[in-house]
Every structure is written in structure tokens, then in C-alpha cells.
Amino acid sequence: MPTPSQLIRTPNIPGPDGFYEELIAAQRDLSDQQADMMLAKLVLILANHVGDRAVLSEALALARQNTLDTPA
Amino acid sequence: MLNTYTYPEFAYVQSPEQAAGTVKRHPVVIIGAGPIGMTQALDLAARGVASIILDDNNTVSIGSRAVCYAKRPLEIWDRMGLGEGYAARGIQWKVGKVFFRNDLAYQFDLLPEAHHKMPAMINLQQYYLEEELVKACDANPLVDLRWKHKLLGLEQTSGTEDDLATLTVETPDGIFQLQADWVIAADGANSDTRRMVGADFTGHFFQDRFLIADVVITKTEFPTERWFWFDPPFHRNQSVLLHKECDNVWRIDFQLGWDADPVEEKKPENVIPRIQAMLGPDVEFELEWVSVYQFACRRVDNLRCGRVLFTGDAAHQVSPFGARGANTGVQDCDNLGWKLALILKGDAPLALLDSYHEERAFAADDNLLNSTRSTDFITPKSRASLRLRNAVLELARTEPFARPLVNSGRLSTPTPYVHSSLNTPDETPFNGSMKPGTNCADAPIQKNGPNGPESAWLLNQLGNGFTLLSFGPGALPMSVGNVTAQVLEVGKDILDTQGILTQRYDAQPGTVYLIRPDQHVAARWRAFDATAAQAALQRALALH
């Protein structure tokens, strides 16, 4: 049995500044509505790439908890 | 409106007991002569149990109503000699198209698994289905189908070994009473029986309304495909489903939302332009039937209340997505019939009925889960979930990965009773899907006929009792009290010439399956062991 994978919570993206620039640039010239739609599609595309249900559950829980813990 | 179908009127007959003014006691009284009530009566009759069906009406379903029937119900009806006729008459579709707003998002081919006697599903108007069930009931001496018999009241004794229910019934000849050892409530979502016994009917996960129309397309050729629209231009922010039925009749389901005015929506001047926009300007059609259907998702807390047993929509109500209503109801009958028959004959303890609730409430909850998931996709409840839903549909046009996320209803498939207390867990590893608690997959086989080996199907060989399906020699018939499991030997009684049976059951020489009277796996072993087989049969009878 392979060990169940865990969500990577340590830095894992080579060249973080470049990635972030690309993420922002992907929304250039989009309306707010289009930008929201793009992010929704990005979530679905990446989720399919990850595929691992346990990792996805962990990522969903982290995103939700971090949001709830942040004062409005 | 056009009529492609003439509704029969069945004759009311005064029963001898009402004429004589005597109160008679019957083993089983079924309330409701719909698909579920009649299927239940025929299944009990096949097991030697006589029943009376009471129905307050005297005809079949008005309108097409439940229109999709899946493989497992067809297999159950095949035991009653009705499956082949339904499969031949029903419409089978292969291509499904999903539209989002103005455009086709994608299309798919069903590609059903080959080598099953019954198709994956058929579309057939409910009145055709019921017509055949009525004929079969009328031809069966153990089924007493009584039209124009309305249940007015029900009382039951409790706490004795010999409890019974007393029913007060109204007919054109007045009011009379009869008694029953068991009452089976098959009187639908608005069940009077359920109200009379005060059973809780809870859930309300969501509620919605649908406008359902049967349309006759008169002159144009129109393809036999399933079309599903999300947010179409002719019905904004809602969903629409188009399905083919027999006789050039098409069924259209418009989702209305809970706030819509059903009376206004039903008016032909509102319905016709919408259908014309949907079918295109060149298609000529006429309306045959329009109805508004509303539902909530819920089930009774317990499928048994003393001497009353709930089946079908009287027990559980689901959304129409996935055709889970009638299909799951027929499987309730399949589960209940053999248990009740054994109890009435004194061959099994009352505890066996606890497994009816255990197994079928588990299946009902699975259906509720699936229909809730479909509804959450079809009717997003927040802006964020609407955005995600639309993102899936937009991606689906070009990206195959997004298509499995599109949920326009998942076709009803049986829920295996994987946790049932009647199962004997595997002691050795098996591959494949035939785990204890699962309905038996059919397979093509050969059997000996008068002119040598002939083609046949596994399920047709299983009979009405318990079966020990033995791959090769070794198994012996087993008995617990009066209940005997007969041996069906592969290689002797039947031949697996194509190897499909062996593959579907992950069989090796010596493998033995104990199969319940409802064609579900109770236990399996790699080699026959009389002690283990005896224990498993006891367990499947709730004698442990």
C-alpha cells in the first residue's frame, strides 16, 4: 500500500515571484466577473490535476478554515 | 389536446365479504394499485402468498409520470414474465446531449455494458407499464385487485404475538371492514396510510416544482436522444429535460423553481411558446398532457410501523433526477416479498423484517444523497456555487476532464447492502463487484434443453428460493428448518461457454455463492464448507 499523500504546506513553487506575476497577469483585461470565473476554472483544472481526494479534502478544509479565522 | 392513449376503466366488483357483511382476516393487504403495489402483489404471489390490493381509483396512471425504468427493476419484472415485453416496447436511447445557454456543451454515448438480458434502461410511459401489471394481476389467482376501494381508517393491535390491522374501506356499496396480518402501504408520496399511522416523514433537504408535458411531434423527424439544458434561452435560470417515449410522444420536464405559480405556468398559452422555442420553429407538435409536479426529499423514519410496511414513494420521496422514484420502489418490493413470505409461513422470525428497514432505508438514503447532489449542481444555491457550476459547463465544451463533473442526474443503479446484518463477510479475498449484499449480475449461459444446449441467462435460473451457485462440483443442498438452498452447478446444470459468468463472479473451480431469494449475494467461499454454508443461511434468515 502506498502511504497516503498529504497536502504540501511548505514552499514548493520554484521562483515564487515569477509565478505570482503570472497569476496576476492571467487576469489582465478581464472584468471582475470574468476574473472570478477564471479563478473558478483554475480551481477545477488544478483539482483535476491533483486528483488525490484526500489531498483535495485537506486543501478545501485549509482554505475554508483560513478564511473563517481571518477577521472580516 | 391530442390523445395517443385511451385510459381503460376497470370494473368495480363488490367483494363477497362486503356483500356478506362478515369481517375477514387476510395475510396481506396492499394499499395502492400503482407500479409498486402491483409488483409487490405479483412477487408475493410467486412466493405462494395471496394478497388483496385496494385502490381508490379505477384506471392507470394519468400522463406518462415515471418514464425511465432501469435494468434492476426490469430484471425483477422479468421474474414475473413482464421484463421481455417492457424491454421490447420501451425506447432505448444511446446519445445524450448537454446544452448550456445557447450552445451544445458536449454529447456522450451511454455505451452500456454488453451481455445482460435486460437493457441499462428504457423509456416507457407509466400507463403502459401499469396496463401490463394489471393484466398479470388479473390473471393471477393469488392477487385480488379491488378497484374503487378507498381506505378510510386503519387501526392496529400491538404487543401480542398475533397482531393485526383492521382497515375501514369505502366502496360504491358503502363502508366495510377487513383485517390483515400485514398491510403494505404503496399509496404514493401523499400516502393516506402513512398519515393514518402517524409515521414521521422527514427530510426536506430541498423542494422544487416541475412542469411536465407529454408532447406529440406530428410531422417532423426528431432524433431518439436525451437532451438536457442548463439555463436555456427559452427558460432562463432553470433546467429542461427532453426524453423520447413510445408512439412519437416526447416528455419534457421544465424545472419551475419553488416560487413559480403552477396554475399560470400550466396554461397552454404559456407552455406552447416555450416548447416551440425549445424544439425549433419548424417542428410541429401538439400537447397531450401537462401537469405540475412538486416534491420534497424525505423518507419515513422507519419503513415498518407495527403491522404496516412502507414501500415506494409512501416510504421515500426523491427528486426526479436519475429516475430514482419508481426504480427504487420496485426494489423495495424485491426486498420485502421473500422476507414476508417466509415469516407468514413461520419459516423465519419477525426479526427478518428489521432487515427490510435496515437495507431499504440504507438504499433510500443513498438515493437521497445522489438526488441531492444532482439538484445542487442543477440548481446552485449561492452565487459562488453558480459560478463553479457554470465554470464546469464552460470547461466541458473542450475539456474531457470536466465532463464527469456535469451532473444532470445519475441514472438509478441498485445500492448494494454492503453493511447488512444478513451478509456473511468474506473470509478470503475476491475481486470484482459481487460483494455480499450486492444484487447478482446477470450473465449469458447455456442450459440443457430438449434439443441439446440452448442459450439462457443466469438470473432466469435462480428460482424463488435460496441458491448455492457452485462453480464446479462440491456444493450440497443446505437446509435450515423448512428453508432449503438448492444447488445450481456451473458445468453441470448450466454451462459458462463464454466465460462471462466466471469473470463477473471472480470464480475459480470450487467457488460457491449463497444467493438470496431476491437475487442478492448473502455469502461466498473459495470452497464449499457445509458448516459455514449452514451458518450463512441462518444468518440470511436473521436466525442468529
Side-chain angles (χ1 to χ4, degrees):
Chain A
M1 285 275 287
T3 49
S5 17
Q6 279 197 324
L7 182 70
I8 298 168
R9 293 176 69 175
T10 52
N12 192 40
I13 302 173
D17 291 348
F19 163 71
Y20 199 78
E21 182 189 3
E22 203 177 330
L23 181 63
I24 298 303
Q27 296 173 67
R28 196 188 305 131
D29 306 329
L30 300 185
S31 67
D32 281 355
Q33 206 184 342
Q34 285 175 313
D36 285 346
M37 185 55 101
M38 193 219 82
L39 287 176
K41 288 175 180 171
L42 185 64
V43 166
L44 294 164
I45 291 164
L46 293 176
N48 182 66
H49 185 85
V50 171
D52 186 318
R53 283 289 284 107
V55 172
L56 291 173
S57 294
E58 220 183 316
L60 286 168
L62 173 60
R64 179 179 167 83
Q65 199 55 48
N66 186 272
T67 304
L68 290 173
D69 291 348
T70 306
Chain B
M1 286 199 199
L2 203 76
N3 283 314
T4 58
Y5 183 75
T6 308
Y7 290 93
E9 269 193 27
F10 303 116
Y12 160 75
V13 178
Q14 189 184 31
S15 64
E17 63 195 291
Q18 186 177 13
T22 51
V23 178
K24 271 190 76 177
R25 182 168 176 171
H26 305 276
V28 178
V29 173
I30 297 166
I31 313 300
I36 310 308
M38 290 191 281
T39 300
Q40 187 70 76
L42 290 168
D43 183 72
L44 286 167
R47 304 178 189 289
V49 175
S51 64
I52 293 173
I53 310 177
L54 306 179
D55 195 278
D56 57 4
N57 208 327
N58 67 339
T59 188
V60 293
S61 152
I62 303 297
S64 61
R65 289 172 70 185
V67 79
C68 301
Y69 300 99
K71 183 193 291 156
R72 183 60 196 154
L74 290 169
E75 287 170 352
I76 294 165
W77 286 317
D78 196 39
R79 285 206 309 255
M80 302 162 189
L82 299 172
E84 291 178 17
Y86 288 154
R89 180 145 202 195
I91 295 287
Q92 292 179 44
W93 57 272
K94 284 203 174 72
V95 173
K97 287 182 176 163
V98 175
F99 298 86
F100 180 43
R101 296 185 179 142
N102 294 301
D103 306 311
L104 177 70
Y106 70 100
Q107 68 177 66
F108 58 91
D109 194 309
L110 271 186
L111 295 173
E113 190 180 64
H115 304 301
H116 289 266
K117 181 176 179 185
M118 288 295 138
M121 57 161 299
I122 59 161
N123 287 356
L124 184 70
Q125 291 93 312
Q126 187 173 328
Y127 43 78
Y128 286 137
L129 182 102
E130 290 186 13
E131 215 177 77
E132 297 306 312
L133 285 164
V134 171
K135 280 184 206 159
C137 286
D138 283 345
N140 196 311
L142 292 178
V143 181
D144 183 354
L145 180 45
R146 300 186 185 176
W147 303 105
K148 293 276 179 197
H149 279 61
K150 184 176 169 55
L151 182 68
L152 296 181
L154 188 154
E155 287 184 9
Q156 38 179 345
T157 60
S158 69
T160 74
E161 295 249 320
D162 192 33
D163 282 334
L164 60 81
T166 304
L167 295 85
T168 305
V169 176
E170 184 178 41
T171 73
D173 287 308
I175 295 172
F176 77 108
Q177 287 195 322
L178 71 169
Q179 294 180 326
D181 293 338
W182 297 97
V183 176
I184 298 175
D187 48 352
N190 300 314
S191 169
D192 286 333
T193 318
R194 193 180 59 227
R195 188 174 44 72
M196 287 170 195
V197 303
D200 282 330
F201 195 44
T202 54
H204 279 289
F205 299 119
F206 52 84
Q207 45 194 12
D208 208 335
R209 282 199 179 95
F210 285 78
L211 179 83
I212 304 175
D214 284 339
V215 162
V216 186
I217 297 182
T218 40
K219 293 204 179 99
T220 327
E221 283 296 309
F222 214 75
T224 302
E225 297 171 352
R226 178 193 195 260
W227 289 10
F228 194 97
W229 282 266
F230 292 96
D231 192 11
F234 51 84
H235 193 45
R236 293 311 306 264
N237 301 316
Q238 300 287 357
S239 69
V240 179
L241 174 64
L242 175 71
H243 246 186
K244 177 87 167 75
E245 305 174 41
C246 303
D247 308 335
N248 281 327
V249 179
W250 297 79
R251 163 72 170 267
I252 306 170
D253 291 24
F254 289 97
Q255 189 179 11
L256 295 179
W258 190 246
D259 300 326
D261 177 354
V263 179
E264 195 60 27
E265 297 284 348
K266 244 167 92 165
K267 290 181 178 165
E269 62 263 37
N270 292 326
V271 176
I272 288 171
R274 194 172 270 166
I275 295 174
Q276 192 74 71
M278 170 183 159
L279 298 175
D282 303 330
V283 176
E284 292 182 36
F285 69 91
E286 289 191 53
L287 271 182
E288 180 161 88
W289 171 71
V290 184
S291 174
V292 171
Y293 161 79
Q294 64 183 54
F295 70 92
C297 275
R298 51 193 177 173
R299 76 161 167 86
V300 285
D301 290 350
N302 200 315
L303 270 58
R304 178 184 166 202
C305 180
R307 290 284 165 151
V308 178
L309 297 149
F310 296 98
T311 59
D313 282 1
H316 38 67
Q317 230 191 326
V318 293
S319 81
F321 308 123
R324 289 167 186 278
N327 282 312
T328 194
V330 171
Q331 292 167 78
D332 290 341
C333 304
D334 189 34
N335 192 286
L336 181 56
W338 68 275
K339 294 174 181 176
L340 204 52
L342 287 174
I343 288 165
L344 281 163
K345 286 172 197 156
D347 291 336
L350 270 182
L352 184 59
L353 270 190
D354 295 339
S355 72
Y356 171 64
H357 172 78
E358 182 193 346
E359 294 179 339
R360 293 312 297 167
F362 179 71
D365 290 347
D366 185 45
N367 279 310
L368 287 166
L369 173 72
N370 276 290
S371 75
T372 303
R373 286 173 169 176
S374 297
T375 308
D376 284 343
F377 191 87
I378 292 163
T379 318
K381 302 293 185 291
S382 67
R383 281 180 57 200
S385 51
L386 177 65
R387 185 185 305 131
L388 281 167
R389 197 281 305 270
N390 291 346
V392 168
L393 289 168
E394 287 182 18
L395 282 167
R397 283 184 192 136
T398 55
E399 304 308 312
F401 91 80
R403 292 170 194 166
L405 296 172
V406 176
N407 190 340
S408 65
R410 305 285 184 216
L411 179 67
S412 165
T413 53
T415 303
Y417 312 135
V418 284
H419 305 299
S420 170
S421 58
L422 304 186
N423 297 343
T424 298
D426 288 339
E427 282 170 10
T428 45
F430 277 84
N431 291 317
S433 59
M434 285 298 111
K435 295 182 179 72
T438 306
N439 65 297
C440 289
D442 206 356
I445 50 117
Q446 296 245 299
K447 66 169 189 176
N448 291 319
N451 307 313
E454 56 189 43
S455 295
W457 295 94
L458 172 71
L459 293 185
N460 291 146
Q461 315 308 315
L462 292 178
N464 281 321
F466 282 88
T467 303
L468 284 158
L469 178 67
S470 178
F471 291 83
L476 297 167
M478 297 303 308
S479 290
V480 172
N482 296 320
V483 180
T484 300
Q486 302 289 353
V487 175
L488 183 69
E489 189 179 316
V490 183
K492 190 181 106 198
D493 304 315
I494 58 173
L495 299 173
D496 183 24
T497 39
Q498 297 182 62
I500 293 162
L501 174 64
T502 301
Q503 184 242 321
R504 287 194 176 150
Y505 287 76
D506 184 33
Q508 298 163 5
T511 296
V512 177
Y513 277 74
L514 175 63
I515 297 170
R516 310 186 336 186
D518 58 358
Q519 304 175 333
H520 282 63
V521 175
R524 56 185 177 171
W525 306 272
R526 284 299 179 196
F528 182 72
D529 172 332
T531 312
Q534 181 96 16
L537 181 55
Q538 277 185 330
R539 200 177 165 81
L541 292 167
L543 285 163
H544 54 281

